[in-house]
Amino acid sequence: MAAPEHPRMSDVAHRAGVSLSTVSRALRGAPGVSPAVRARVERAAAELSYVVSRDASSLVTGATGRVAVIVPFLRPWFFGAALAGISPELRAAGLDMLVYEVGDAEALDGYVQALPLRRNVDAVIAVSLDLDDRETKQLDDIGVPVVYCSQRAEGRPSVFIDNVAAAAAGTRHLLNLGHRRVAYVQSRDETGFSWGSLHRRDGYLQAMAEAGAEPLVVTDRAGQRGGAAAMARLLGAPSPPTAVFAESDDVAFGALAVLRRSRVPVPEAVSLLGFDDNDVAAVLDLTTVAQPVHELGAEAARLTARLLRGTADRAEHLRLPTELVVRRSTSVPRTSPGMHLHSHTDLRGRQ
Amino acid sequence: MAAPEHPRMSDVAHRAGVSLSTVSRALRGAPGVSPAVRARVERAAAELSYVVSRDASSLVTGATGRVAVIVPFLRPWFFGAALAGISPELRAAGLDMLVYEVGDAEALDGYVQALPLRRNVDAVIAVSLDLDDRETKQLDDIGVPVVYCSQRAEGRPSVFIDNVAAAAAGTRHLLNLGHRRVAYVQSRDETGFSWGSLHRRDGYLQAMAEAGAEPLVVTDRAGQRGGAAAMARLLGAPSPPTAVFAESDDVAFGALAVLRRSRVPVPEAVSLLGFDDNDVAAVLDLTTVAQPVHELGAEAARLTARLLRGTADRAEHLRLPTELVVRRSTSVPRTSPGMHLHSHTDLRGRQ
């Protein structure tokens, strides 16, 4: 009997001469299968190069009642908001939430390799890990469904925003106000995660190219510190920008702190645009590209529950909308070119 | 044989005629105990009114390898910081982290009553739940150690700060600058959690009484919205305060937004003091009482791991220090009394 090219669980059942549910139970280590039958099923699966995850959506019995949520970090606002979206939806589906903070790409590798996920959880929600192809394939093999939250993963269940289009729209907001020297601040830290930063940069570059404007990308550390350092560099540039697009609100806050300390008026001398609409953006009157983080989490959890019930497509993609929230940190540029020409009066006015 | 007043696991073992480890395994439902022996142990435990949690530190084998972390909310900064402190310490001890967001006191009741914690986790970390006596006693009976994080629980393992002393010190900072009309903004939301707010209010009242100053407490909703609403009320008071102490940085941000919108200069007309030193306080130049949230989480997790290894006192108390971080939102008051006497020039200067 020739092995089928894309073996299914039914092929394994046929070859081993057992029922589908016996294959399912045997391969996920559930009780009620004799050692002899288990060995037969495992041999048949191995002979067919059958990968358990291929039919993970058939493993709908919720053997553990737990879902693992993997996040790179726990402290930033984004992950609290995502977990707050995930938690009640898992609860509603009768699922407990295990949370793993992997910190960097290496820890993720360790997590995927070391944890006996097959016995530990029924599914995994990967939040904003920005995994590359190799890592995504690695996750394909852990034996339970993996739902991607805040990342588009081709052929896998995922819930995401269109970072490219959202960042292009944000950049056009600045261009349409009349800015030409628009800088983009992105972070690139040691963790190996890019946080959608690169897609947003692509959107920025696209909008700048469409407008025939010269792009200026500054890369620094993540978070407020990176934003502060990047803004300091921009203030020292030969021709400072009149508008700055920060990849996240947090980066924008760091930039804003430097602008305030330097008494550079915002938005009169420099317009500042963030990304997220986090819980403090409104207080700081920051114009920003809002993404629905809570809803990204909630939708990912609902999709997970549906996958475990067998009522979702295993390649389901769900794109949620973003929205430009205009506040007082962006405006038309001065007619005079940039920060060099502030009058003393203007500066005093910002103390 | 008379039942001992405070039965220990050894009393149960003696009465049932089995070893300590058999009692431990029988009472937590671990495998390897015959039904007959299990029934005998359970009968002995019942006759002695033995409560499993009394000797929870003996259940050191880590039957599930999981710890439940219960938080009222996931979204606020505080809980992300606490979880970020807890997570790596549990990981280092080989423990997985289940996270439960209980949202309000009723959900906590449901959680405690409904979840079969004995089989689900080895221990519980209760983060900033501000439980009352009844709730604390309820948690005593769930059969596994409960560690209190950011709450002092008498006779139970807990890691906390001294909210009373910290708030008194913050209030004295304002009084010593020369303020007399110092208001305290506390939140009291529908959730039933008080967030340490009441202890901080007590510290404020204590310092005000010591200084012979008239206290002014305003209560409103939680978070930025509550801070904004409270500040609006204070601006409309017969004699507005020259200094405002907000129970948290988040509440202070709401107050700050209203002050900025009203063009009331901070700190010239109103000094503003927060509590937390959260991740945005520095950007907003907010003077605040800093508490070590990450360390509270880390210490609670380490204490949990030690309890499970049997190397911690089950009533261990760990008080972590707070620190006043003086930034630019507090200063000596104007010589003129408060906000009524701003010159037009002053107001323009803040646009």
Side-chain angles (χ1 to χ4, degrees):
Chain A
M1 177 166 88
E5 203 177 340
H6 296 294
R8 302 175 61 84
M9 191 182 276
S10 54
D11 299 317
V12 179
H14 184 73
R15 192 176 192 105
V18 298
S19 71
L20 267 179
S21 75
T22 300
V23 173
S24 170
R25 272 181 287 129
L27 293 183
R28 64 187 153 84
V33 183
S34 74
V37 169
R38 192 184 307 276
R40 184 140 46 94
V41 169
E42 285 175 353
R43 195 168 54 240
E47 286 165 356
L48 290 170
S49 299
Y50 173 78
V51 178
V52 175
S53 65
R54 287 271 165 77
D55 274 304
S57 65
S58 311
L59 305 175
V60 295
T61 51
T64 71
R66 287 187 296 273
V67 169
V69 179
I70 316 182
V71 296
F73 304 104
L74 278 162
R75 185 157 183 151
W77 163 87
F78 183 94
F79 300 99
L83 289 174
I86 292 169
S87 170
E89 296 297 332
L90 290 184
R91 177 83 56 96
L95 295 161
D96 284 340
M97 179 173 80
L98 277 170
V99 179
Y100 295 93
E101 183 190 35
V102 291
D104 56 39
E106 218 169 283
L108 176 69
D109 264 26
Y111 171 78
V112 169
Q113 281 159 14
L115 275 173
L117 273 173
R118 279 160 213 252
R119 287 171 210 162
N120 197 35
V121 295
D122 300 334
V124 167
I125 300 177
V127 181
S128 205
L129 293 178
D130 276 338
L131 304 178
D132 62 24
D133 270 2
R134 185 189 61 80
E135 293 161 335
T136 306
K137 283 191 180 119
Q138 203 180 6
L139 275 178
D140 286 344
D141 294 333
I142 61 175
V144 296
V146 177
V147 173
Y148 292 81
C149 175
S150 187
Q151 174 180 8
R152 178 184 184 128
E154 288 309 324
R156 283 94 173 177
S158 43
V159 183
F160 51 85
I161 59 165
D162 186 337
N163 277 300
V164 177
T171 307
R172 268 185 234 111
H173 164 67
L174 297 169
L175 291 165
N176 291 342
L177 285 172
H179 294 277
R180 298 288 293 175
R181 296 207 306 284
V182 179
Y184 178 76
V185 178
Q186 73 176 5
S187 68
R188 190 81 193 133
D189 60 17
E190 329 69 54
T191 64
F193 296 115
S194 72
W195 299 68
S197 173
L198 298 181
H199 289 138
R200 290 176 199 164
R201 185 199 57 189
D202 289 348
Y204 158 81
L205 291 174
Q206 184 185 302
M208 292 293 277
E210 280 166 16
E214 194 66 39
L216 171 58
V217 174
V218 182
T219 304
D220 215 292
R221 283 166 297 172
Q224 289 178 30
R225 280 189 195 183
M231 193 67 234
R233 285 162 60 197
L234 286 170
L235 287 177
S239 179
T242 63
V244 174
F245 184 4
E247 66 161 36
S248 73
D249 288 351
D250 221 33
V251 168
F253 295 159
L256 188 59
V258 164
L259 289 168
R260 284 201 172 151
R261 218 166 292 145
S262 313
R263 296 188 185 159
V264 174
V266 175
E268 290 82 357
V270 175
S271 282
L272 187 61
L273 173 66
F275 199 113
D276 274 342
D277 198 22
N278 77 16
D279 291 341
V280 192
V283 182
L284 284 163
D285 258 335
L286 183 72
T287 299
T288 190
V289 181
Q291 63 166 328
V293 182
H294 188 278
E295 287 68 30
L296 286 169
E299 289 292 356
R302 281 196 285 267
L303 179 51
T304 303
R306 285 194 288 120
L307 278 168
L308 291 173
R309 284 196 305 268
T311 60
D313 179 353
R314 294 199 52 258
E316 189 163 325
H317 278 193
L318 197 56
R319 189 174 66 211
L320 299 190
T322 57
E323 186 187 3
L324 182 72
V325 179
V326 177
R327 299 199 182 94
R328 278 188 271 181
S329 71
T330 52
S331 72
V332 295
R334 300 186 186 213
T335 47
S336 57
M339 291 178 294
H340 297 291
L341 304 184
H342 306 156
S343 74
H344 188 57
T345 312
D346 283 336
L347 289 177
R348 276 207 313 194
R350 302 301 299 179
Q351 294 183 20
Chain B
M1 175 164 90
E5 203 176 341
H6 295 294
R8 302 174 62 84
M9 191 182 276
S10 53
D11 299 317
V12 179
H14 184 73
R15 192 177 192 101
V18 298
S19 71
L20 268 178
S21 75
T22 300
V23 173
S24 170
R25 270 181 287 127
L27 292 183
R28 63 187 155 84
V33 183
S34 74
V37 169
R38 191 184 308 278
R40 183 141 47 96
V41 169
E42 285 174 353
R43 196 167 51 243
E47 286 165 356
L48 290 170
S49 299
Y50 174 77
V51 179
V52 175
S53 65
R54 289 268 166 77
D55 273 304
S57 65
S58 311
L59 306 174
V60 295
T61 51
T64 71
R66 286 187 296 274
V67 169
V69 179
I70 315 182
V71 296
F73 304 103
L74 279 162
R75 185 156 183 153
W77 163 86
F78 183 94
F79 300 99
L83 289 174
I86 292 169
S87 170
E89 295 296 333
L90 290 184
R91 176 84 57 96
L95 295 161
D96 283 340
M97 178 172 80
L98 277 170
V99 178
Y100 296 93
E101 182 190 35
V102 292
D104 55 39
E106 219 169 280
L108 177 67
D109 264 26
Y111 170 78
V112 169
Q113 281 158 16
L115 274 173
L117 274 173
R118 279 160 213 254
R119 288 171 209 160
N120 198 36
V121 295
D122 300 335
V124 168
I125 300 177
V127 181
S128 205
L129 292 178
D130 275 340
L131 302 178
D132 62 25
D133 270 2
R134 185 189 61 80
E135 293 161 335
T136 306
K137 283 190 179 119
Q138 204 180 3
L139 275 178
D140 286 344
D141 294 333
I142 60 174
V144 296
V146 177
V147 173
Y148 291 82
C149 175
S150 187
Q151 174 180 7
R152 180 185 181 127
E154 288 308 325
R156 284 93 174 176
S158 42
V159 183
F160 51 84
I161 60 165
D162 187 337
N163 276 299
V164 178
T171 307
R172 267 184 234 113
H173 164 67
L174 297 169
L175 290 165
N176 291 342
L177 285 172
H179 294 277
R180 298 288 294 176
R181 296 207 306 286
V182 179
Y184 177 75
V185 178
Q186 73 177 5
S187 69
R188 191 80 192 132
D189 60 18
E190 330 69 56
T191 63
F193 297 116
S194 71
W195 298 67
S197 173
L198 298 180
H199 289 140
R200 290 176 200 165
R201 186 200 56 189
D202 289 347
Y204 158 81
L205 291 174
Q206 184 185 303
M208 291 294 277
E210 280 166 14
E214 193 67 38
L216 172 58
V217 174
V218 182
T219 304
D220 216 292
R221 284 164 297 173
Q224 289 178 30
R225 280 188 196 185
M231 194 66 234
R233 286 162 60 197
L234 287 170
L235 288 177
S239 180
T242 63
V244 174
F245 184 4
E247 66 163 33
S248 72
D249 288 351
D250 221 32
V251 169
F253 295 158
L256 188 60
V258 165
L259 290 168
R260 285 201 172 150
R261 220 167 291 143
S262 313
R263 295 185 185 160
V264 174
V266 174
E268 290 82 357
V270 174
S271 281
L272 187 59
L273 174 66
F275 199 111
D276 273 342
D277 198 23
N278 76 17
D279 291 341
V280 192
V283 182
L284 284 162
D285 257 337
L286 183 71
T287 299
T288 191
V289 181
Q291 63 167 327
V293 182
H294 188 278
E295 286 69 29
L296 286 169
E299 289 291 357
R302 281 196 283 266
L303 179 51
T304 303
R306 284 194 289 120
L307 278 167
L308 291 173
R309 283 196 304 267
T311 60
D313 179 354
R314 294 199 53 258
E316 188 163 326
H317 278 194
L318 197 56
R319 190 173 65 213
L320 300 190
T322 58
E323 186 188 1
L324 183 72
V325 179
V326 177
R327 298 200 182 95
R328 278 187 271 181
S329 70
T330 53
S331 72
V332 296
R334 299 187 186 214
T335 47
S336 56
M339 292 178 294
H340 298 291
L341 303 185
H342 307 156
S343 72
H344 188 58
T345 315
D346 283 336
L347 290 177
R348 277 208 309 196
R350 302 301 299 179
Q351 294 183 22

